Amino acid sequence: MGNEMADQRGFFDLDERYAALSRAGDPLERLLKVVAFEVFRAELDAALQRSDGAKGGRPPMDCVLMFKVLVLQALYGLSDGQAEFQILDRRSFGRFLGLDDGDKVPDETTIWRFREALVEAGAVEKLFARFDAHLKGAGYLAMGGQIIDASIVAAPRQRMTEAERAIVKGGGVPEDWQAKPAKLAQKDRDARWTLKRGRKKTRPDGSAMTEIAMPVFGYKNHIGTDRHHGFIRKWTVTDAAHHDGREQAGLIDRSNTGSGVWADTAYRSRKNEGRIARAGLVSQIHFRRAPGKALPAQHQRANAARSKIRAHVEHPCAEQKSRMGLFIRTVGIARATAKIGMANLAFNMKRLAFWERRTVAA
């Protein structure tokens, strides 16, 4: 009898703990309420191409559950090992995944293999598109025009000699690396160095302060958001040294009901302006000062007005870097694309939770 009472007390303790999590405003519980994760199952099944189990063997973990693990990683900036630990440790994670005490928890190797399968199938882009279609079906159309920007996503710095760096930059592989496959597997030959420039500031007397430029190694997340709802609608991934303006073509969303296209001066070129005009859209890209000349007053006023709108694209970039802790721990641009794509998808899920909560409050 004593053991039975202890077990019963434990059951109610767990139930009360979940209730306490709900009262505290568990963000993952809100996410479960607004995101229909089953909409991803078809794309996941197609990407994984799992057998029907007729040959026996241990059945794989549910693909939607594993996908939700990747969502957790993106939301909280977790490595595979950290994800395994946090799922074991945190009640909110277990409830989000639908795992009870005693259920098998995916280990870091299982998580890695699942993500690798999605990388090989190029599935993250399809999963992102599926959720975007879900958003539009729920009435969250791309509206008000679009805002384009890029942010650098850091990766572990690679130790190379100047000679090795030159070979890698030219698309080759140093002979010493080829002779050591284990070493080669740990070398990211796709990421690049670039200078991250801070905002230009002025002194109280109006004179310009020295601009600070910080070297960063990694990739770039190029995004296009809709002005009205703030969802990421289009995205591409490149190395960090890639020029922002060259990615404009892949970021234009023709489904947006608004005609304006906002971006900073990096996107202003004759080719990009022509592309926007041919799409029937209106360029709101910042004007660029001609070398050796001052920017005309009317262009200064236009840029100031456009900056107030363009600033909204800073929200997803800041969210991913600060609260979501976006950092590339993998090797190669294919894996980086999957990681960044999952961060973009997870941001949109959080954004949907924001809009749904706002609608209920209204």
Side-chain angles (χ1 to χ4, degrees):
M1 177 68 74
N3 289 338
E4 290 179 3
M5 290 181 67
D7 291 340
Q8 189 175 24
R9 186 169 58 249
F11 172 80
F12 287 115
D13 285 346
L14 178 59
D15 195 50
E16 174 56 32
R17 182 165 295 187
Y18 281 144
L21 278 173
S22 299
R23 289 194 298 270
D26 179 9
L28 293 178
E29 184 181 33
R30 290 199 296 268
L31 208 61
L32 280 176
K33 290 179 179 178
V34 301
V35 178
F37 281 95
E38 281 297 318
V39 302
F40 299 104
R41 187 174 292 279
E43 274 71 22
L44 291 169
D45 284 339
L48 298 171
Q49 297 182 343
R50 289 174 170 170
S51 68
D52 58 6
K55 295 182 179 180
R58 179 181 296 178
M61 299 200 76
D62 180 73
C63 62
V64 174
L65 182 152
M66 291 302 302
F67 174 67
K68 287 160 74 175
V69 172
L70 300 193
V71 172
L72 287 175
Q73 285 187 288
L75 289 172
Y76 296 95
L78 302 174
S79 67
D80 296 340
Q82 291 168 341
E84 178 186 356
F85 176 81
Q86 294 294 347
I87 293 168
L88 287 166
D89 187 60
R90 297 174 68 166
R91 293 288 188 191
S92 60
F93 278 28
R95 179 165 68 171
F96 178 74
L97 297 174
L99 295 173
D100 293 323
D101 288 353
D103 287 344
K104 180 178 174 58
V105 169
D107 59 28
E108 60 179 306
T109 301
T110 302
I111 297 170
W112 181 85
R113 287 175 176 169
F114 179 80
R115 188 175 55 252
E116 282 291 292
L118 297 188
V119 170
E120 292 177 8
V124 173
E125 292 88 342
K126 297 174 184 177
L127 293 166
F128 184 92
R130 165 61 67 182
F131 190 62
D132 189 59
H134 177 72
L135 289 174
K136 291 173 180 175
Y140 293 100
L141 302 177
M143 302 168 63
Q146 48 201 298
I147 312 173
I148 295 172
D149 201 6
S151 69
I152 299 171
V153 182
R157 299 183 178 188
Q158 303 290 298
R159 295 182 179 180
M160 305 182 196
T161 64
E162 288 298 326
E164 289 174 338
R165 187 175 289 110
I167 293 172
V168 170
K169 192 172 182 180
V173 180
E175 291 184 11
D176 180 52
W177 296 6
Q178 295 181 36
K180 300 177 181 178
K183 181 177 182 178
L184 179 60
Q186 298 299 318
K187 292 293 185 180
D188 194 334
R189 291 169 287 150
D190 296 329
R192 291 290 184 270
W193 284 96
T194 191
L195 290 177
K196 182 179 180 181
R197 303 184 182 279
R199 295 181 182 276
K200 294 182 179 180
K201 298 181 179 179
T202 57
R203 297 185 179 89
D205 63 1
S207 60
M209 297 176 66
T210 302
E211 184 181 20
I212 299 176
M214 180 185 301
V216 182
F217 183 80
Y219 296 90
K220 268 185 185 176
N221 182 19
H222 305 261
I223 61 173
T225 66
D226 72 275
R227 181 186 172 190
H228 182 75
H229 292 113
F231 289 110
I232 297 172
R233 301 292 182 170
K234 297 287 185 179
W235 59 278
T236 62
V237 174
T238 67
D239 64 74
H242 194 85
H243 192 277
D244 297 355
R246 291 169 59 187
E247 291 300 297
Q248 188 219 52
L251 300 175
I252 295 295
D253 181 13
R254 295 177 183 271
S255 71
N256 196 298
T257 61
S259 61
V261 179
W262 285 264
D264 62 28
T265 55
Y267 296 87
R268 178 167 282 276
S269 69
R270 190 172 300 172
K271 186 175 182 179
N272 283 346
E273 292 294 300
R275 183 181 292 113
I276 290 172
R278 288 192 297 274
L281 303 173
V282 179
S283 173
Q284 300 289 351
I285 297 176
H286 277 41
F287 290 101
R288 181 184 294 161
R289 179 178 61 84
K293 296 183 179 180
L295 190 66
Q298 66 270 28
H299 287 179
Q300 292 183 34
R301 290 192 295 271
N303 282 356
R306 294 174 181 185
S307 290
K308 294 178 181 179
I309 295 172
R310 199 188 69 80
H312 292 292
V313 80
E314 301 290 343
H315 174 65
C317 299
E319 178 76 11
Q320 290 177 343
K321 288 186 177 181
S322 58
R323 295 180 182 173
M324 295 170 65
L326 180 56
F327 182 81
I328 302 302
R329 297 180 176 88
T330 54
V331 175
I333 195 166
R335 295 187 180 104
T337 298
K339 294 285 285 189
I340 293 172
M342 281 302 305
N344 291 336
L345 178 51
F347 171 83
N348 279 357
M349 291 179 178
K350 292 185 70 174
R351 190 69 179 169
L352 175 60
F354 162 79
W355 278 107
E356 290 291 295
R357 186 167 62 250
R358 183 174 176 177
T359 300
V360 171

